[in-house]
């Protein structure tokens, strides 16, 4: 099952400050709902992660890798990754993140595309999309607090 999601968040900090937080594993770990582990890979081009997720009746611990590419500090990057959740299934996808100056702060725009399979895909598009939107909203609320805090 494929899904897409776009959005934007206005943050009360400079692009440089937002860029630094977007590349800080400790900040990201604290902001990602259910994140248990997040550490930079040896090549410094991404992260290894583990997160516990619940979508409807399906609960799983996903482990995976995330890679950063098209780095354009402090304007944005492309993030792509994949994770395995055992019998719950898998998720893989990517997002483009763009930062621009707006109203004395930074406008963060994101454009996500992902594919999921296994039990998660059997839950249905509406339930999965709703859960993905809720996770994104929670992440960006947490991230805004971390950036502006």
């Amino acid at each position: 099952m494929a899904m897409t999601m776009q959005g934007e968040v206005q943050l009360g900090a400079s692009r440089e400050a937002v860029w630094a937080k977007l590349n800080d594993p400790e900040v990201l770990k604290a902001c990602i709902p259910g994140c248990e582990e997040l550490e930079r890979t040896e090549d410094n081009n991404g992260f290894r992660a583990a997160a516990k997720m619940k979508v409807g009746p399906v609960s799983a611990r996903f482990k995976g890798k995330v890679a950063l590419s098209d780095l354009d500090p402090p304007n944005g990057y492309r993030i792509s990754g994949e994770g395995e959740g055992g019998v719950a299934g898998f998720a893989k996808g990517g997002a483009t993140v763009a930062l621009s100056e707006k109203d004395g702060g930074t406008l963060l725009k994101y454009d996500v595309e992902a594919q999921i399979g296994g039990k998660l895909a059997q839950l249905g598009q509406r339930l999965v999309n709703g859960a993905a939107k809720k996770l994104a909203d929670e992440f960006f609320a947490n991230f805004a607090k971390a950036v502006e805090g």
Side-chain angles (χ1 to χ4, degrees):
M1 175 186 344
M3 59 184 247
T4 60
M5 185 170 35
Q6 294 90 22
E8 57 184 47
V9 182
Q10 178 68 32
L11 300 165
S14 70
R15 270 189 310 165
E16 290 75 12
V18 173
W19 176 262
K21 301 279 189 196
L22 277 175
N23 287 280
D24 183 331
E26 289 304 311
V27 171
L28 294 174
K29 180 180 177 186
C31 294
I32 298 168
C35 189
E36 297 174 338
E37 296 171 29
L38 186 71
E39 53 189 39
R40 203 170 270 291
T41 55
E42 292 76 18
D43 62 11
N44 252 356
N45 283 347
F47 305 99
R48 269 187 300 281
K52 203 166 195 161
M53 302 281 171
K54 183 166 173 44
V55 180
V58 178
S59 186
R61 184 170 191 262
F62 283 85
K63 288 186 105 163
K65 288 185 181 173
V66 175
L68 304 178
S69 59
D70 302 335
L71 297 165
D72 181 16
N75 302 309
Y77 58 45
R78 173 143 183 83
I79 184 167
S80 51
E82 52 188 78
E84 284 289 330
V87 295
F90 70 88
K92 65 180 178 178
T96 303
V97 178
L99 305 176
S100 58
E101 291 177 15
K102 183 178 178 193
D103 299 334
T106 301
L107 181 66
L108 182 154
K109 289 186 177 185
Y110 60 93
D111 193 349
V112 178
E113 76 281 339
Q115 296 85 39
I116 59 169
K119 279 189 178 178
L120 283 176
Q122 296 169 5
L123 292 175
Q125 191 91 23
R126 258 188 40 222
L127 182 60
V128 171
N129 283 346
K133 177 162 179 14
K134 182 175 178 266
L135 286 171
D137 290 347
E138 198 173 325
F139 169 80
F140 285 110
N142 294 342
F143 188 71
K145 283 183 202 156
V147 167
E148 297 166 0

